[in-house]
Amino acid sequence: MTTDGTTEHVHGYTAEKSSHLKRLRRIEGQIRGLQRMVEEDKYCIDILTQVSAATKALQSFSLELLEEHLSHCVVEAAQRGGPEAEEKVREASDAIARLVRS
Amino acid sequence: MTTDGTTEHVHGYTAEKSSHLKRLRRIEGQIRGLQRMVEEDKYCIDILTQVSAATKALQSFSLELLEEHLSHCVVEAAQRGGPEAEEKVREASDAIARLVRS
Amino acid sequence: MTTDGTTEHVHGYTAEKSSHLKRLRRIEGQIRGLQRMVEEDKYCIDILTQVSAATKALQSFSLELLEEHLSHCVVEAAQRGGPEAEEKVREASDAIARLVRS
Amino acid sequence: MTTDGTTEHVHGYTAEKSSHLKRLRRIEGQIRGLQRMVEEDKYCIDILTQVSAATKALQSFSLELLEEHLSHCVVEAAQRGGPEAEEKVREASDAIARLVRS
């Protein structure tokens, strides 16, 4: 949504925008918590546990975003058909590969 | 393809069937190689390197399968529209989540 | 290290503290960048690419922390011997399992 | 263990050898099951579920192997001390990084 209120293109995740922002702020809080733990010389294993939690939270965020992308952008492109559909599938597949490998 | 030769439903990956089988046989060979390494008391780190290779090969296989699934089953369901499209997207998203978490 | 200068226990990562904090601040910046992207309705795939980058950065951080932990806490416990060594190995193995599965 | 009964070096996992072989044979069976599924044109999502199961089984195997390696080879190297201990920790850390990234 542009600032002048016109809608150029509403992505799949727009409806969930505030829930996404809330999640990301929570993850930001986890990263700041990690900084505090390092500053206070907390035990390495406890820091690693927190890193795993933050990584999992990022992963859940990306899986949700991906599902919204598939159910909006990819489905709509498929309905319009043609090379754009193929392009969207390839693009989504590349993003999935990056997630699986990260 | 059913045994009597009629085609009920051709999945996205059918065209790539022989290439998939070749990949899976290679992975089977890697697993048998791992058994030999354990039997011959090979060094743990070398075994772990081979396990990582086999895991990566399985991952590449699943990413290819998934891309074919998206570009066939999901795109076709999207084109037919209705609740089936939603169902296919949810199902694919669940499979992606299992891949990302495994 | 306590503020009064006495050393209670110096963890493996203490020497690298400022480099760790720098990394975590960079990751925090990536998470804030993600919030901006969501706010500005950036394209889902571009957001996913950034999530993968942040996840990889967290992973590298944890791998470095783990290596320091092994080369300090675990090695020292092994040298002291006894049940503490076993305990440290089990604890490190559990942390590794959480990393691998996250 | 060599065939003439002399012990050159017993790795950490030797005691668990038969349990490791059993696991690897089960994984081999999973891979052959995947080949049958592809041959019989099973539904892509069901194949992906089986791939995730096999990947998880490989991962558990490697985590067990790694724990045994840490509690034997790494702990013993640490007790002998010197550059070998450092070398073993670096080598284990590299193996962990490969697991986390695969």
Side-chain angles (χ1 to χ4, degrees):
Chain A
M1 199 108 40
T2 55
T3 46
D4 60 0
T6 60
T7 312
E8 287 180 358
H9 179 72
V10 181
H11 298 302
Y13 67 82
T14 306
E16 306 298 333
K17 202 162 152 169
S18 76
S19 118
H20 288 333
L21 286 173
K22 213 174 289 174
R23 262 167 181 263
L24 286 170
R25 273 184 222 113
R26 202 161 38 227
I27 295 170
E28 191 193 330
Q30 288 177 296
I31 307 296
R32 269 206 299 269
L34 280 165
Q35 292 169 38
R36 259 193 315 278
M37 291 180 90
V38 168
E39 262 156 16
E40 297 170 358
D41 294 299
K42 293 292 186 226
Y43 185 45
C44 345
I45 294 291
D46 295 333
I47 301 183
L48 285 171
T49 302
Q50 282 313 100
V51 177
S52 291
T55 306
K56 265 184 203 293
L58 268 177
Q59 230 170 42
S60 297
F61 171 68
S62 60
L63 288 170
E64 208 181 289
L65 213 61
L66 188 69
E67 178 162 8
E68 289 164 19
H69 179 65
L70 291 176
S71 62
H72 289 86
C73 310
V74 176
V75 162
E76 284 157 25
Q79 284 163 352
R80 284 189 298 272
E84 198 209 336
E86 277 172 51
E87 165 60 26
K88 286 288 171 202
V89 166
R90 199 171 328 108
E91 195 187 56
S93 299
D94 290 348
I96 295 164
R98 279 192 298 272
L99 286 181
V100 168
R101 288 176 180 136
S102 73
Chain B
M1 199 111 38
T2 55
T3 46
D4 60 1
T6 60
T7 314
E8 285 177 0
H9 181 72
V10 180
H11 300 300
Y13 66 83
T14 306
E16 306 298 333
K17 203 163 152 168
S18 75
S19 118
H20 288 335
L21 286 172
K22 215 176 286 175
R23 263 167 180 264
L24 286 171
R25 272 185 223 115
R26 202 160 38 228
I27 295 170
E28 190 193 329
Q30 288 178 298
I31 306 297
R32 269 206 298 267
L34 281 165
Q35 292 169 36
R36 258 191 316 278
M37 292 179 90
V38 169
E39 262 157 16
E40 297 170 359
D41 295 298
K42 293 291 185 226
Y43 186 44
C44 343
I45 294 292
D46 295 333
I47 301 183
L48 286 170
T49 302
Q50 283 312 102
V51 177
S52 292
T55 307
K56 265 184 202 294
L58 269 176
Q59 230 170 42
S60 298
F61 171 67
S62 61
L63 288 169
E64 209 182 288
L65 213 63
L66 187 69
E67 177 162 8
E68 289 163 20
H69 179 65
L70 291 176
S71 62
H72 289 86
C73 310
V74 176
V75 162
E76 284 157 26
Q79 285 162 352
R80 285 189 298 272
E84 198 210 334
E86 277 172 51
E87 164 62 25
K88 287 287 172 202
V89 165
R90 198 170 329 110
E91 195 187 57
S93 298
D94 289 349
I96 294 164
R98 279 192 298 271
L99 286 181
V100 168
R101 286 173 181 141
S102 72
Chain C
M1 199 110 38
T2 55
T3 45
D4 60 1
T6 60
T7 312
E8 286 180 358
H9 180 74
V10 180
H11 298 302
Y13 66 84
T14 305
E16 306 298 334
K17 203 162 152 168
S18 75
S19 119
H20 288 333
L21 286 172
K22 214 175 287 173
R23 262 167 181 264
L24 286 170
R25 272 184 222 115
R26 202 161 37 227
I27 296 171
E28 190 192 330
Q30 288 177 298
I31 307 296
R32 269 207 298 269
L34 279 166
Q35 292 169 38
R36 260 192 314 279
M37 290 181 91
V38 168
E39 262 157 15
E40 296 170 0
D41 295 298
K42 293 293 186 225
Y43 184 45
C44 345
I45 295 291
D46 295 333
I47 300 181
L48 286 170
T49 302
Q50 283 312 101
V51 177
S52 292
T55 307
K56 264 183 204 294
L58 268 176
Q59 230 169 42
S60 297
F61 171 67
S62 60
L63 288 170
E64 208 181 290
L65 213 61
L66 187 70
E67 178 162 7
E68 288 163 21
H69 179 66
L70 291 176
S71 62
H72 290 85
C73 310
V74 176
V75 162
E76 285 157 26
Q79 285 163 352
R80 285 189 297 272
E84 197 209 335
E86 276 173 52
E87 165 59 26
K88 286 288 172 203
V89 166
R90 198 171 327 109
E91 195 187 57
S93 298
D94 290 348
I96 294 165
R98 281 192 297 271
L99 286 181
V100 169
R101 288 177 180 136
S102 72
Chain D
M1 200 115 33
T2 56
T3 45
D4 59 1
T6 61
T7 313
E8 285 178 359
H9 180 71
V10 180
H11 299 299
Y13 66 82
T14 305
E16 307 298 333
K17 203 163 152 168
S18 76
S19 119
H20 288 333
L21 285 172
K22 215 176 286 175
R23 262 168 180 263
L24 285 171
R25 274 186 221 113
R26 203 162 36 229
I27 295 171
E28 191 193 329
Q30 286 178 300
I31 306 297
R32 269 206 299 267
L34 280 165
Q35 292 170 37
R36 260 193 313 278
M37 291 179 90
V38 168
E39 262 158 14
E40 297 170 358
D41 294 299
K42 293 290 186 227
Y43 185 45
C44 342
I45 294 292
D46 295 334
I47 300 181
L48 286 170
T49 302
Q50 283 311 101
V51 176
S52 292
T55 307
K56 265 184 202 294
L58 268 176
Q59 230 170 41
S60 298
F61 170 68
S62 60
L63 289 169
E64 209 181 289
L65 213 62
L66 188 69
E67 178 162 8
E68 288 163 20
H69 179 66
L70 291 177
S71 62
H72 289 85
C73 310
V74 176
V75 162
E76 285 157 25
Q79 285 162 350
R80 284 188 299 271
E84 198 210 335
E86 277 173 52
E87 165 61 25
K88 287 287 171 202
V89 165
R90 197 170 331 108
E91 195 187 57
S93 299
D94 290 348
I96 295 164
R98 279 192 299 271
L99 286 182
V100 168
R101 287 175 180 138
S102 73

